[in-house]
Amino acid sequence: MTQPPAPLHALITGASAGIGAALAREYARRGVPLVLTARREDRLQALAAQLRAQVPVEVIAADLADPAAPAHLHAETRRRGLAIGHLVNNAGYGVPGRYLADDWKVHADFLQVLVTAVAELSHRYLPEMEARRYGRILNVASLAGLVPPSAGHTLYGASKSFVIRFSQSLAAESRPRGVHVTALCPGFTYTEFHDVNGMRERISRLPKWLWLDADTVARLGVDAVERGDARYVTGSINRVLAGLAKYLPERVANALVASRASDFRDAE
C-alpha cells in the first residue's frame, strides 16, 4: 500500500457533532493532523481543545450553504500551508416534511451543502492528491441512498444517491492515481441528527438492533477508505436491507418502505 507523505491533514466538514466529530476523533486516534470545519465555531474549538493532546488541529468556521465556502476553505488551507491528504465530506442535515412545505431557498441551501459542496471540494482538492500520488476522499452518504424512496424528506435520499454514484465514478477514475474515494453508507446512527430535524421521538421507537453508534461508523468508514472500497454500508443489518432493496421486485420494495415510512419520515 502506498504510504502517505507526512504531514498530511484530514479536512472534515460538519465536524462539530455526530459522525463528523466521531471521524475527527478516529483520525486523531490514528495520528492524522486535523482541519475541522462547520458553522458552529464554538463547538469546533471545544472539540479541537480535546484532540490537540493527540494531534495538531486547525479550525476554519464555514457555512457550506454559502456557495463561496468551498473556494474559501481551499484558499484558507493553502494560505495556512496545510496539505490535505484526507478529505471527509460529512456535512449534512435533513429537511423534514413535504417538499412544498418549505420555500425554495431552504431546498437550494440543502442541495448546496449535500451535493454541490461535496462535488466542489472534491474537485478542488483532488488535483493536489493526484499530484502526490496519495489521497483519500470519504463522502458520507446514507443507506437512504440505496433503498426505495418514501414521502417526506424529499431530497435526502436523492442527494445521497448522487453522493454514492459520484463517489463510485470518482473512485474508478482516481484509484490508478493513488487516490481512494469511498461513499460511506450508514443506517440509523446515534447522533443529534434526529434532534435537529425534530424526529427524535418518532425515530426512537425503532428497534435497538437497527442502530450503530457514531464512533463505530467512523472507524468502519476510515477502514473502508483505506482499503479502497468505493462503497461501504455499515452494519450487517443495513447490508441485508440494501441487498433486499436491490433484488426485490421494485413494486414489492416500494410497498414495504411505504408501509413503514411513518416510523422514520415526516411526510406532513
Side-chain angles (χ1 to χ4, degrees), residues 46-143:
L47 179 60
Q50 296 172 19
L51 298 180
R52 283 192 178 113
Q54 298 172 262
V55 294
V57 184
E58 298 275 341
V59 168
I60 305 174
D63 183 356
L64 289 176
D66 178 358
H72 166 71
L73 277 173
H74 184 245
E76 184 62 14
T77 53
R78 295 189 70 177
R79 187 188 70 80
R80 298 188 190 188
L82 306 172
I84 304 302
H86 310 261
L87 171 62
V88 182
N89 287 306
N90 165 77
Y93 57 98
V95 178
R98 294 183 66 241
Y99 185 55
L100 295 182
D102 293 289
D103 294 336
W104 172 245
K105 179 64 164 60
V106 172
H107 299 307
D109 287 350
F110 176 91
L111 291 170
Q112 174 63 38
V113 174
L114 276 84
V115 175
T116 304
V118 172
E120 183 175 351
L121 286 169
S122 299
H123 190 271
R124 289 186 179 278
Y125 284 104
L126 186 57
E128 303 164 15
M129 295 178 179
E130 290 192 351
R132 69 174 72 97
R133 306 290 298 181
Y134 178 90
R136 305 288 185 260
I137 299 177
L138 180 59
N139 295 323
V140 180
S142 171
L143 181 64

Side-chain angles (χ1 to χ4, degrees), residues 148-149 244-257:
L244 287 173
K246 182 177 181 180
Y247 292 110
L248 282 176
E250 185 174 13
R251 179 180 296 181
V252 174
N254 287 342
L256 285 172
V257 170

Side-chain angles (χ1 to χ4, degrees), residues 1-5 8 85 122 125-137 168-181:
M1 179 182 296
T2 303
Q3 294 300 311
L8 291 178
S122 299
Y125 284 104
L126 186 57
E128 303 164 15
M129 295 178 179
E130 290 192 351
R132 69 174 72 97
R133 306 290 298 181
Y134 178 90
R136 305 288 185 260
I137 299 177
Q168 290 173 315
S169 182
L170 196 61
E173 293 179 18
S174 301
R175 187 179 180 90
R177 297 169 175 84
V179 179
H180 296 177
V181 183

Side-chain angles (χ1 to χ4, degrees), residues 114 118 139-141 158-168 183:
L114 276 84
V118 172
N139 295 323
V140 180
S159 71
K160 296 304 186 180
S161 292
F162 168 85
V163 170
I164 293 167
R165 293 304 188 199
F166 167 70
S167 300
Q168 290 173 315

Side-chain angles (χ1 to χ4, degrees), residues 148-265:
S150 62
H153 296 248
T154 320
L155 289 175
Y156 188 79
S159 71
K160 296 304 186 180
S161 292
F162 168 85
V163 170
I164 293 167
R165 293 304 188 199
F166 167 70
S167 300
Q168 290 173 315
S169 182
L170 196 61
E173 293 179 18
S174 301
R175 187 179 180 90
R177 297 169 175 84
V179 179
H180 296 177
V181 183
T182 298
L184 175 63
C185 302
F188 294 110
T189 306
Y190 288 113
T191 70
E192 66 177 35
F193 179 91
H194 299 292
D195 298 311
V196 174
N197 67 17
M199 292 290 292
R200 172 59 60 196
E201 181 179 356
R202 184 179 304 184
I203 212 81
S204 295
R205 301 170 192 161
L206 293 172
K208 302 298 183 186
W209 48 263
L210 281 174
W211 296 80
L212 288 177
D213 63 271
D215 288 334
T216 298
V217 169
R219 175 178 54 80
L220 292 172
V222 178
D223 285 345
V225 75
E226 288 300 321
R227 285 193 305 268
D229 297 346
R231 188 192 79 183
Y232 185 79
V233 180
T234 61
S236 56
I237 295 297
N238 294 325
R239 288 192 286 275
V240 168
L241 293 174
L244 287 173
K246 182 177 181 180
Y247 292 110
L248 282 176
E250 185 174 13
R251 179 180 296 181
V252 174
N254 287 342
L256 285 172
V257 170
S259 70
R260 300 306 304 267
S262 62
D263 292 341
F264 55 88
R265 286 285 185 267

